[in-house]
């Protein structure tokens, strides 16, 4: 043909091949916009070559050891339960009926987890401080953690001994990193069943349901941690509110805590456990009283965590 250089003609087969490649490239860019066929045919997708079989149970727990507290110690640790039931008349505090059931259930529950449990009853402010001072001075080198449970009357930031009131921080401070060396880098757990004020929660209707100290190398350097680190304080209620207790069945918070720990204590991470406790208290309990001022009230626990890793008992 006139005007056409036949030496520069592209074969038709190459043109078709290039067009097919362009179509494939266009298709690849369009994949995310196409319907997900696996939703329409949930049992018909093919396994890719050399793809490993997926386990039947999709509830997989991702294990990341560097983000978990080490629990491979000789002991799990001590658990001190302070159970204050009777109070001096001058405090104006009434007897706490039902607290003995709480103490008994907690003792069984924490022993089953592996704690070395000690229960003490009706402690004055001085006795509580001296007791925990003594425990803090113990050598916890062979223990993975420490737990303390306070069952008493309370106000915001304060807990009652049989003879008066004291700051909760006075007791927790005894286990700070700069005061209790053998618990440095280990979880220190406080569970507090006590009021934190005098407000009622009326509720609302809803339709919806550390490093190895024996070796110091560049690969394993020493480092500083805050003295307030590795604490967890689980309060039975939020700041400013009453905390409810049934004279026959015990307190809402403690009974929910024991229920969840007995069922999931050795399976779930501690924050998962306490979230389930929150759910139980929030949904399964409501106050009843002949006095309408105290009836149909609700409660929600409150967790304050300074933990730096996940905790599995």
């Amino acid at each position: 043909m006139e005007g056409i250089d036949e030496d520069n003609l592209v074969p038709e087969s190459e043109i078709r091949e290039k067009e097919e490649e362009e179509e494939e490239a266009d298709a690849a860019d369009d994949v995310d916009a196409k319907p997900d066929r696996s939703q329409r045919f949930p049992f018909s997708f093919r396994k890719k070559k050399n793809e490993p079989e997926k386990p039947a149970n999709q509830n997989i727990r991702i294990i990341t050891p560097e983000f978990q507290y080490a629990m491979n110690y000789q002991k799990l640790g001590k658990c001190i339960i302070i159970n204050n039931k009777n109070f001096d008349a001058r405090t104006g505090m009434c007897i706490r009926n039902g607290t003995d059931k709480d103490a008994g259930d907690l003792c069984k529950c924490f022993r089953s987890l592996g704690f070395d449990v000690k229960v003490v009853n009706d402690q004055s402010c001085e006795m509580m401080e001296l007791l925990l001072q003594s425990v803090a001075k113990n050598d916890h080198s062979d223990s993975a953690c420490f737990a303390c449970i306070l069952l008493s009357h309370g106000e915001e930031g304060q807990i009652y001994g049989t003879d008066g009131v004291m700051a909760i921080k006075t007791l927790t401070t005894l286990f700070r990193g700069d005061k209790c060396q053998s618990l440095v880098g280990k979880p220190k757990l406080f569970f507090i069943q006590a009021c934190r004020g005098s407000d009622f929660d009326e509720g609302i209707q809803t339709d919806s349901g550390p490093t190895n100290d024996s070796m110091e190398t560049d690969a394993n350097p020493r480092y500083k941690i805050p003295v307030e680190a590795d604490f967890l304080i689980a309060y039975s209620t939020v700041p400013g509110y009453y905390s409810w207790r049934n004279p026959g069945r015990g307190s809402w918070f403690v009974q929910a805590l024991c229920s969840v720990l007995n069922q999931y204590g050795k399976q779930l991470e501690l924050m998962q456990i306490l979230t389930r406790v929150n759910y139980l208290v929030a949904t399964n309990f409501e106050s009843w009283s002949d006095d309408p001022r105290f009836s149909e009230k609700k409660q929600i626990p409150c967790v304050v965590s300074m933990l730096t890793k996940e905790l599995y008992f």
Side-chain angles (χ1 to χ4, degrees):
M1 281 186 196
E2 187 179 352
I4 296 178
D5 185 353
E6 294 186 3
D7 291 336
N8 291 329
L9 285 176
V10 179
E12 186 178 346
S13 59
E14 287 187 25
I15 294 174
R16 278 201 303 270
E17 187 177 340
K18 188 170 290 187
E19 287 175 347
E20 288 173 0
E21 287 175 356
E22 289 175 355
E23 287 176 2
E24 288 176 1
D26 288 341
D29 286 337
D30 230 10
V31 166
D32 287 341
K34 289 184 177 179
D36 183 353
R37 297 182 185 276
S38 67
Q39 299 303 314
R40 292 163 49 193
F41 309 105
F43 305 108
S44 63
F45 45 83
R46 292 177 295 178
K47 186 168 80 73
K48 293 179 182 178
K49 191 174 182 180
N50 299 324
E51 182 181 354
E53 293 286 345
K54 292 184 179 179
N57 182 8
Q58 295 298 313
N59 242 352
I60 302 170
R61 189 172 83 191
I62 299 174
I63 305 297
T64 316
E66 61 267 35
F67 293 114
Q68 293 181 5
Y69 283 107
M71 304 303 284
N72 56 339
Y73 288 85
Q74 186 178 341
K75 302 173 184 176
L76 181 56
K78 294 182 182 296
C79 174
I80 305 298
I81 301 176
I82 297 178
N83 178 37
N84 289 343
K85 179 179 181 179
N86 304 290
F87 299 83
D88 292 348
R90 64 178 180 271
T91 64
M93 296 292 110
C94 59
I95 187 170
R96 297 183 61 254
N97 291 316
T99 191
D100 290 335
K101 184 175 191 312
D102 281 347
D105 291 346
L106 286 164
C107 184
K108 291 177 188 175
C109 179
F110 276 74
R111 275 190 181 143
S112 70
L113 289 174
F115 281 94
D116 176 15
V117 181
K118 179 180 181 180
V119 181
V120 292
N121 299 309
D122 291 342
Q123 302 286 290
S124 67
C125 293
E126 183 181 13
M127 291 165 68
M128 289 195 292
E129 186 171 0
L130 289 175
L131 170 63
L132 292 183
Q133 268 182 359
S134 174
V135 175
K137 289 177 181 177
N138 290 344
D139 185 4
H140 300 268
S141 299
D142 59 354
S143 298
C145 62
F146 169 74
C148 177
I149 304 171
L150 305 176
L151 310 174
S152 190
H153 288 298
E155 298 172 7
E156 177 51 31
Q158 298 182 309
I159 192 82
Y160 272 86
T162 56
D163 60 343
V165 69
M166 69 184 301
I168 293 172
K169 194 166 182 65
T170 301
L171 302 178
T172 59
T173 296
L174 298 170
F175 296 89
R176 282 186 0 176
D178 57 344
K179 297 181 182 297
C180 184
Q181 293 285 326
S182 58
L183 281 174
V184 169
K186 300 176 182 179
K188 294 160 278 280
L189 314 174
F190 287 81
F191 301 88
I192 301 175
Q193 167 57 44
C195 289
R196 302 181 70 185
S198 55
D199 289 341
F200 289 118
D201 189 330
E202 302 291 343
I204 185 71
Q205 292 295 331
T206 177
D207 294 328
S208 61
T211 62
N212 183 354
D213 287 340
S214 64
M215 296 178 64
E216 290 187 43
T217 67
D218 289 341
N220 189 21
R222 292 178 65 88
Y223 60 98
K224 293 171 69 175
I225 62 173
V227 295
E228 301 282 1
D230 304 302
F231 278 86
L232 178 139
I233 305 177
Y235 295 95
S236 59
T237 190
V238 292
Y241 284 82
Y242 276 116
S243 185
W244 293 92
R245 169 178 35 83
N246 182 278
R249 294 187 293 272
S251 64
W252 300 359
F253 172 66
V254 169
Q255 293 307 307
L257 177 63
C258 290
S259 174
V260 178
L261 282 174
N262 285 333
Q263 190 169 2
Y264 301 106
K266 295 186 179 179
Q267 301 172 36
L268 298 180
E269 198 275 328
L270 181 58
M271 293 304 295
Q272 291 178 304
I273 288 170
L274 293 175
T275 300
R276 296 196 183 201
V277 171
N278 282 2
Y279 177 80
L280 278 184
V281 174
T283 58
N284 287 13
F285 294 89
E286 185 173 302
S287 68
W288 178 89
S289 173
D290 291 329
D291 187 336
R293 294 176 301 168
F294 296 92
S295 203
E296 299 181 352
K297 309 304 181 189
K298 301 293 289 183
Q299 180 179 321
I300 182 70
C302 176
V303 181
V304 178
S305 175
M306 285 73 75
L307 297 182
T308 57
K309 296 182 181 181
E310 297 172 348
L311 174 56
Y312 292 91
F313 290 119

